[in-house]
Structure formats: structure tokens, C-alpha cells
Amino acid sequence: MEVLRQRRSPKAPADHNKAPSDFMKTIAVYNLKGGVGKTATAVNIAYLSACSGQPTLLWDFDAQAAASWYFQVENSKRKKASKLIKDKLALGELIQGTGYDRLDIIPSDMSNRNIDVNLTGVSGGKLDSWLSMLSETYGVLVLDCPPTLSELALRILKAADAVLITMIPTHLSFETYRHVTEMMEQKKIDLAKLYPVLTMIDRRKSIHQEFTASCKKTLGKTPIGFVPYCSDVEKMGEFREPLPVFAPRSPATLAYQLLWDNIRKKALRRR
């Protein structure tokens, strides 16, 4: 695995030299429940996508801005994401570099907490038009979604090529997954693009062992990835870097690499 170690370069987006393409793949990382490894998964998947040679953009939709914080990137006060919806700002003005080759980010800020209010009455085609513009530069788009049942979430789930639902192996987390599948069915969103990802698996806990062993029967699908509980993931907050950069031999790094390999083989090729 190539490790992109370039760090803290100017925040201008990289020149990817990518010909315009209609084949950009969009990966949404989503869950209604917090604390299940959603943002860590989005950050590491975006980084590994860039490592694989794909010009990649991580779009941080979560008002908590955790993904932006991991990459040490902030929105300027004049460039709030909320202005994009009101056509007061061009999409390209929000894009910043991360300091890693082939990896850019649209950072979040607290104005995103009102994004659903701002989306009210706005055509659903606006998100599609943004994705179309991004496909001219990027091969992979990773969306760190807000943990809400909202208009924004529904539009993202419809537009994405693959939806990763991060979840820990517990009763409540599996019940949340059921709620998401029911919502997608009601909105006629293709369930075939929904992929569970088990995270924070602690083999010392019997309930984690039981749920991991029975997850295919319980969920109706085999998870596309299994990420163990590992203190290295928590250290992402200390280093403010993707896991493969500072812990390339960590079991969690290997798990995220296997997850990315499965996404490419199973989730993105089918569409």
C-alpha cells in the first residue's frame, strides 16, 4: 500500500490532471447513531482511495466537522457551505487541499446544522448537478453524512453508488440498521447499494462475538468490512492524520485496507 506522507502543504486543491469523466463513484458513509466509527471510516476510506491513485474528494456534511478536524482544515468565515445552496458561492470555492496527494476536502462548519432548512424548496437536482461538476475532476467522492433522518440524508442516499452503514455489534446498532433499511424501502432507494460495516469489534466481549458470528442472518447481508476495536483509531485524534499514515501496521489499518479493497471489488463495480 502506498502511503501518502506529504503533509501541511498549502490548502489549495491539487491539480489532478484528470480528464472530464462521467464515471465518478460516490460513497456515502452513514448512520443515524453516533459513536459507531462513521467519520473514522470516511477519513480512512478517502485516504486509501487517494493512495490507490484515484483523485478523491471527501465532502464533510456533518456539522460537527470531525472529518475536517482530522485533516486540520477549516472553512473560512466567508466560505460557509450554507452559501452554496443559496447560490452565493461557487462549489469550487469550498474545495481545499488536505496536504496529501490526490486528496481534497470540502470542510464542514456549524452552518451545516441548518442545511436541511436551506434545502427546503430546493430542487433535488441541485445535488446531482454538484456531483456532475465534481466528476470533471474526481474519480471518487466520499460523503461523511450527518447522523440524521433528513432531506439531505435522503438525497445523498439516492445519489450515492454505495452506502456504508457503520455499526458496532450490539442490539441497538443492529436495530438502527433495520430502521435505515425500512426508510430506504419506503423511499424506493435501492437496497442493493447498502453495505453494513462492523466497527469497534471487541473479541473479548461475548455479545460482540455473537453478533459478529450471526450478522449475516440478522442483517440479511454479510458486512463488507470488519474493523476491530483498536486504540490506534482513537489516536487519530492525537495525530490528526489518517490511520495508515502513523500506524501502517496496525490491525485496524489492515481492516480498513481490506474494506477499501472490498468496496472497489463489490460495491463500485456493480454500478
Side-chain angles (χ1 to χ4, degrees), residues 84-96:
L84 176 66
I85 298 172
K86 299 177 181 178
D87 294 321
K88 295 181 177 180
L89 198 67
L91 179 61
E93 293 183 71
L94 292 175
I95 299 173
Q96 298 190 39

Side-chain angles (χ1 to χ4, degrees), residues 149-164:
L149 256 179
S150 63
E151 181 65 25
L152 172 63
L154 289 173
R155 293 185 185 185
I156 288 175
L157 295 179
K158 289 178 181 178
D161 296 295
V163 179
L164 306 184

Side-chain angles (χ1 to χ4, degrees), residues 4 13 31 135 159 242 256 259:
L4 305 181
N31 200 310
S135 71
Y256 278 120
L259 170 59

Side-chain angles (χ1 to χ4, degrees), residues 2 4-5 15 18 20 23 32 57 60 73 83 87 95 101-102 114-116 129-130 153 212 215 230 232 257:
E2 178 190 2
L4 305 181
R5 294 191 180 278
D15 182 5
K18 178 179 179 291
F23 298 99
L32 293 170
L57 177 69
D60 186 358
V73 177
K83 293 183 178 180
D87 294 321
I95 299 173
D101 294 336
R102 298 185 295 276
N114 297 319
I115 196 167
D116 283 298
S129 68
W130 295 336
T212 301
C215 59
C230 184
D232 289 329
Q257 180 64 60

Side-chain angles (χ1 to χ4, degrees), residues 85-266:
I85 298 172
K86 299 177 181 178
D87 294 321
K88 295 181 177 180
L89 198 67
L91 179 61
E93 293 183 71
L94 292 175
I95 299 173
Q96 298 190 39
T98 63
Y100 297 108
D101 294 336
R102 298 185 295 276
L103 179 56
D104 293 335
I105 187 171
I106 296 180
S108 184
D109 56 70
M110 284 303 292
S111 72
N112 270 358
R113 72 189 187 280
N114 297 319
I115 196 167
D116 283 298
V117 175
N118 295 329
L119 273 173
T120 302
V122 175
S123 169
K126 179 157 283 192
L127 178 61
D128 293 335
S129 68
W130 295 336
L131 299 185
S132 178
M133 285 186 281
L134 293 173
S135 71
E136 298 176 5
T137 304
Y138 299 98
V140 172
L141 171 63
V142 179
L143 307 176
D144 186 13
C145 303
T148 60
L149 256 179
S150 63
E151 181 65 25
L152 172 63
L154 289 173
R155 293 185 185 185
I156 288 175
L157 295 179
K158 289 178 181 178
D161 296 295
V163 179
L164 306 184
I165 303 291
T166 56
M167 51 197 299
I168 57 178
T170 63
H171 290 282
L172 184 57
S173 195
F174 277 39
E175 183 68 8
T176 301
Y177 178 85
R178 185 180 66 81
H179 289 319
V180 172
T181 58
E182 289 179 351
M183 175 191 68
M184 291 179 66
E185 284 183 318
Q186 291 172 1
K187 300 298 181 179
K188 299 181 179 180
I189 301 173
D190 185 10
L191 288 178
K193 64 182 178 182
L194 185 64
Y195 296 92
V197 178
L198 286 191
T199 62
M200 305 183 193
I201 304 170
D202 189 343
R203 299 288 182 180
R204 298 168 298 179
K205 297 181 178 180
S206 59
I207 191 171
H208 281 213
Q209 295 178 27
E210 293 168 7
F211 272 89
T212 301
S214 64
C215 59
K216 181 179 181 180
K217 180 179 179 180
T218 306
L219 301 175
K221 283 188 175 183
T222 300
I224 197 171
F226 298 84
V227 182
Y229 172 79
C230 184
S231 61
D232 289 329
V233 178
E234 297 175 355
K235 290 179 182 178
M236 287 175 61
E238 176 183 346
F239 289 93
R240 296 181 70 179
E241 293 179 327
L243 189 58
V245 176
F246 66 88
R249 295 180 177 83
S250 169
T253 298
L254 175 60
Y256 278 120
Q257 180 64 60
L258 292 173
L259 170 59
W260 171 241
D261 292 342
N262 283 336
I263 291 170
R264 288 195 295 176
K265 293 175 184 177
K266 300 178 181 180

